[in-house]
Amino acid sequence: EDQVTQSPEALRLQEGESSSLNCSYTVSGLRGLFWYRQDPGKGPEFLFTLYSAGEEKEKERLKATLTKKESFLHITAPKPEDSATYLCAVQISWYGGSQGNLIFGKGTKLSVKP
Amino acid sequence: EADIYQTPRYLVIGTGKKITLECSQTMGHDKMYWYQQDPGMELHLIHYSYGVNSTEKGDLSSESTVSRIRTEHFPLTLESARPSHTSQYLCASRQGGDSPLHFGNGTRLTVT
């Protein structure tokens, strides 16, 4: 069964304390892995897409990496405004039908204290 | 800014009522989706559409129905609301098969 697992469920950091969030997946064939940020009361906001093992993408204090079994979202010197729930999703096919849809993890709730 | 709009943002309704959750996007995307999200749980796909007059059920069994008469509009209807339908409903769209989803800000539904 295709599955996406995120850890930890919740993470509390002090401002400036770097850390990483994990997204591990067991799927029949990965076509793409997506990271989203979700603020309370809002819909998820797209951050990154990764397509193949070894790929990395950066945006401000965030850096996403991908291996054959998992992805990491590294947060460097986080600020309170980085507090949010971070969601990971995988896609196993680019084509139509149900396999073209995303499989989401439960998310990691990040809190950054000043 | 949001290019995908959901109304209402919040809805409290009694059991047995018929409701329609609205979703519109201005990006001309062919693919549209409805997800259900409960606290601490994964987003579960309940319906999707790959274009006008195309609708499919998702992975999560749902008593709701959808329609896609216009590209930009993808409403979700519950014929008879029940307390088990209490949840957050998120609408999303994307253009190509490998492009990211764009989400609306959701409708939080409470059925009493």
Side-chain angles (χ1 to χ4, degrees):
Chain A
E1 182 185 350
D2 299 317
Q3 199 167 9
V4 176
T5 303
Q6 291 189 246
S7 61
E9 291 184 8
L11 181 62
R12 291 190 172 195
L13 300 174
Q14 287 297 125
E15 185 171 2
E17 180 187 1
S18 301
S19 188
S20 297
L21 313 182
N22 178 264
C23 171
S24 63
Y25 56 91
T26 52
V27 297
S28 50
L30 180 73
R31 291 292 180 260
L33 186 142
F34 299 81
W35 280 99
Y36 289 86
R37 168 192 171 127
Q38 186 173 23
D39 293 302
K42 293 194 173 183
E45 176 187 346
F46 170 70
L47 293 173
F48 305 108
T49 309
L50 301 166
Y51 295 102
S52 57
E55 189 174 1
E56 299 181 352
K57 288 195 177 172
E58 287 188 67
K59 180 180 180 180
E60 296 180 354
R61 295 177 293 281
L62 300 177
K63 179 180 178 180
T65 61
L66 182 64
T67 72
K68 289 186 178 180
K69 292 184 178 181
E70 59 192 347
S71 176
F72 291 95
L73 185 65
H74 306 277
I75 304 177
T76 302
K79 297 182 177 182
E81 53 262 42
D82 294 322
S83 297
T85 296
Y86 290 85
L87 303 175
C88 167
V90 301
Q91 182 159 345
I92 59 176
S93 171
W94 294 135
Y95 302 106
S98 61
Q99 289 194 330
N101 300 324
L102 299 187
I103 304 167
F104 280 85
K106 294 182 180 181
T108 293
K109 185 174 182 179
L110 174 66
S111 299
V112 182
K113 301 299 182 185
Chain B
E1 71 275 10
D3 295 321
I4 182 163
Y5 305 94
Q6 291 188 244
T7 57
R9 287 296 313 278
Y10 304 93
L11 180 62
V12 180
I13 201 163
T15 297
K17 299 291 186 182
K18 177 180 178 178
I19 60 170
T20 296
L21 308 185
E22 300 288 348
C23 176
S24 295
Q25 51 98 1
T26 59
M27 297 169 283
H29 288 170
D30 289 328
K31 296 175 171 56
M32 295 190 73
Y33 305 80
W34 276 102
Y35 286 89
Q36 189 170 333
Q37 184 180 34
D38 294 308
M41 300 299 293
E42 309 93 323
L43 271 71
H44 286 292
L45 181 66
I46 49 176
H47 295 283
Y48 62 99
S49 168
Y50 285 171
V52 171
N53 294 325
S54 152
T55 62
E56 300 286 346
K57 292 196 172 190
D59 306 319
L60 182 68
S61 175
S62 173
E63 294 163 339
S64 58
T65 59
V66 292
S67 63
R68 189 90 181 275
I69 299 173
R70 303 196 314 266
T71 298
E72 62 271 22
H73 195 213
F74 191 41
L76 181 145
T77 298
L78 276 167
E79 291 292 332
S80 179
R82 297 198 282 187
S84 60
H85 296 138
T86 295
S87 187
Q88 163 134 297
Y89 292 84
L90 289 165
C91 181
S93 71
R94 72 196 309 195
Q95 183 54 38
D98 61 345
S99 58
L101 289 171
H102 294 259
F103 283 90
N105 282 327
T107 293
R108 182 163 296 282
L109 173 66
T110 303
V111 183
T112 61

